[in-house]
């Protein structure tokens, strides 16, 4: 039995189920994680890419990096882990419960898998906007970026940036507020595929536990918070999550 009877029983009657996901749930789709041995931060230093200063210092490098990641994401598909969480949402909602999936991922794969109650804590790779006037980027700008050229805003000439949250930037207000409320309300909280080292997202499972939720983690390796949770299931999301909804 992958998951404990305690978790399965609580899931069957939970009024609210909350989930936090990280890059690990997209790994089986072929999207590199950040901190695994073959992860993105092994090839690039986050300080050089995932912050405003790095972007302003070298917009072509950073825009090209995101254009590359966008291309990877457009070529992959959701995996059974994403699909299992979409099915879990349907099962919980169908029996009158509520459900919220808070993802740190910027790849849009949960929505493509059919999840509806999703908040993107770190934004989306698939959207861009002007860093000056904040108009959404469209048309040849994204074409220019895909070619690794500096995308500039046709309205004001400002630089185009991806709609992701960089280090040192505040998370979008509504997503993090909804995610924190979900953690406070949860009877069961699942933390899936995250190393749990980036805050405030990594604090959500602990908030849920402190508020009385039964908290389980799914990860082949114990995360930084595994020792503080009720249950850790050592496995890949795509392998183990379908057992929750079969
Ligand atoms: C904030 C960009 C308020 C988007 C990312 C000093 C100054 C400023 C802030 C800080 C500071 N010191 C600390 C902070 C806070 C900082 C932070 O937490 N830093 C950490 C590193 C110490 N946080 C922030 O800056 C946040 N904003 O706090 O604002 C503020 C403002 C000003 C001043 C103070 C505070 C912003 C956080 C967002 C940063 N953006 N990336 C992008 O390019 O994608 S971070 C990056 O890490 C990604 O966004 C990612 O979502 C996030 C978390 O990583 P994971 O998803 O967990 O991925 P990881 O590779 O780490 O782990 C994968 C896991 O999956 C592993 O455990 C692996 O075992 C597992 N796995 C692998 N395969 C599978 C699997 N699991 C299941 N199945 C599998 N098959």
């Amino acid at each position: 039995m992958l998951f404990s009877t305690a978790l399965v029983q609580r899931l069957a009657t939970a009024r609210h189920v909350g989930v936090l996901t990280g890059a690990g749930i997209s790994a089986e789709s072929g999207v590199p994680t950040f901190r695994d041995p073959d992860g993105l931060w092994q090839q690039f230093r986050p300080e050089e890419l995932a912050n405003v200063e790095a972007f302003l210092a070298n917009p072509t490098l950073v825009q090209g990096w995101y254009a590359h990641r966008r291309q990877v994401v457009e070529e992959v598909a959701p995996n059974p882990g994403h699909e299992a969480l979409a099915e879990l949402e349907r099962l919980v909602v169908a029996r009158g419960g509520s459900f919220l999936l808070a993802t740190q991922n910027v790849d849009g794969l949960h929505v493509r898998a059919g999840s509806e109650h999703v908040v993107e804590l770190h934004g989306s790779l698939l959207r861009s906007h002007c860093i000056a006037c904040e108009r959404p980027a469209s048309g040849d700008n994204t074409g220019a970026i895909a070619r690794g050229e500096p995308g500039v805003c046709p309205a004001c000439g400002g630089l185009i940036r991806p709609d992701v949250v960089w280090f040192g930037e505040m998370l979008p207000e509504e997503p993090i507020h909804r995610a924190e409320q979900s953690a406070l309300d949860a009877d069961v909280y699942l933390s899936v595929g995250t190393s749990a080292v980036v805050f405030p997202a990594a604090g959500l499972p602990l908030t849920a536990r402190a508020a009385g939720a039964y908290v389980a983690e799914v990860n082949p390796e114990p995360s930084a918070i595994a020792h503080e949770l009720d249950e850790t299931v050592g496995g890949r999301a795509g392998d183990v999550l379908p057992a929750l909804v079969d």
Side-chain angles (χ1 to χ4, degrees):
M1 182 73 169
L2 289 166
F3 295 92
S4 70
T5 310
L7 173 65
V8 172
Q9 284 174 344
R10 281 174 170 79
L11 264 182
T13 58
R15 284 167 303 107
H16 181 73
V17 175
V19 183
L20 172 71
T21 63
I25 196 166
S26 295
E28 291 156 87
S29 293
V31 181
T33 64
F34 292 89
R35 297 169 184 85
D36 281 330
D38 59 346
L40 287 167
W41 292 159
Q42 305 315 316
Q43 307 158 54
F44 304 99
R45 287 164 44 80
E47 298 78 17
E48 288 169 353
L49 293 165
N51 65 63
V52 178
E53 296 73 26
F55 173 69
L56 294 174
N58 196 334
T60 307
L61 170 71
V62 175
Q63 285 175 338
W65 185 56
Y66 281 96
H68 164 69
R69 288 176 57 193
R70 193 176 298 119
Q71 192 177 2
V72 167
V73 164
E74 283 162 357
E75 288 163 4
V76 300
N79 67 61
H82 296 107
E83 290 159 355
L85 289 181
E87 178 60 16
L88 181 61
E89 171 189 294
R90 283 188 287 270
L91 291 172
V92 169
V93 170
R95 59 164 179 72
S98 58
F99 186 98
L100 186 69
L101 193 165
T103 187
Q104 299 171 88
N105 299 341
V106 295
D107 57 29
L109 287 176
H110 283 301
V111 171
R112 285 175 56 191
S115 288
E116 293 182 7
H117 301 274
V118 182
V119 289
E120 294 176 321
L121 299 174
H122 293 168
S124 171
L125 194 55
L126 306 176
R127 299 188 301 267
S128 297
H129 65 268
C130 171
I131 198 165
C133 70
E134 299 194 343
R135 282 184 179 82
S138 59
D140 63 356
N141 261 304
T142 45
I145 295 168
R147 291 191 300 276
E149 296 153 13
V152 293
C153 173
C156 77
L159 285 168
I160 301 299
R161 63 161 286 174
D163 273 13
V164 300
V165 179
W166 280 327
F167 286 107
E169 292 189 316
M170 302 298 280
L171 275 59
E173 210 168 301
E174 201 235 346
I176 189 63
H177 172 71
R178 285 182 61 194
E180 281 165 350
Q181 194 56 53
S182 171
L184 291 169
D185 295 344
D187 300 302
V188 173
Y189 202 87
L190 303 177
S191 182
V192 180
T194 184
S195 58
V197 297
V198 175
F199 288 85
L204 291 166
L206 303 179
T207 299
R209 189 137 198 285
Y214 186 92
V215 184
E217 162 176 288
V218 173
N219 194 323
E221 305 292 333
S223 75
I225 59 171
H227 60 289
E228 300 185 59
L229 306 183
D230 295 294
E231 183 169 335
T232 55
V233 180
R236 304 189 324 163
D239 294 340
V240 308
L241 285 177
L244 283 182
V245 294
D246 283 348

